[in-house]
Structure formats: structure tokens, C-alpha cells
Amino acid sequence: MTRITLSALVLLAVLSACGSDKTARESEGGGLPMACAIVECDCIRSTIGIFTTEDPKAVEWTADGKASCPAGWTLRRLK
């Protein structure tokens, strides 16, 4: 392959990885919503920047015992 073709394939792979929806993956089958019943979790803004001060929110619980966050917020496990 030529360098241009190889570079285009690498760029395409990087861009497709950046476009994945992390929040949807976590809520569907990542296990974090169930794990938050045992370990401490909170919700942070999905659009938080590098130099932005975090303002975490409390986790909301569904009727089936899974942790969730409001729209625009992401579930995060605390260490």
C-alpha cells in the first residue's frame, strides 16, 4: 500500500474510535451501572473540559437497581 492509503486508513480508524458513544456503552452492558451498587460512583458532565472544575452530581437509581445519570452526565466510578 502507498503511504497515503495507509495514512487514510489509520486516520479513519482513529476518527471512528473518537465517535463512539461511551455513555451508551456503559449504560447498555458495561457493568458499571450494576457495580455502583457496591462501589462508590458519581455523575460528571459529559462535556467537561480540561481546565473546568468538576461539579459531580449524585447517582440516580432505577427501579431495577441500576445506577444512572441525568441527560448530559456520565456515570463514573470513584477510586
Side-chain angles (χ1 to χ4, degrees):
M1 279 193 230
T2 65
R3 283 187 168 180
I4 295 173
T5 306
L6 187 58
S7 297
L9 290 175
V10 170
L11 181 63
L12 181 63
V14 169
L15 290 176
S16 66
C18 291
S20 65
D21 189 7
K22 180 181 175 184
T23 306
R25 274 196 322 251
E26 287 177 352
S27 63
E28 288 176 0
L32 187 58
M34 291 298 290
C36 288
I38 300 170
V39 297
E40 192 174 358
C41 298
D42 67 356
C43 297
I44 58 169
R45 286 191 189 271
S46 301
T47 58
I48 195 165
I50 296 173
F51 300 109
T52 308
T53 306
E54 289 186 17
D55 183 28
K57 282 191 170 187
V59 174
E60 298 174 355
W61 298 95
T62 61
D64 62 350
K66 291 182 181 179
S68 66
C69 294
W73 294 76
T74 304
L75 193 59
R76 172 182 71 169
R77 178 181 174 184
L78 298 177
K79 293 182 181 180

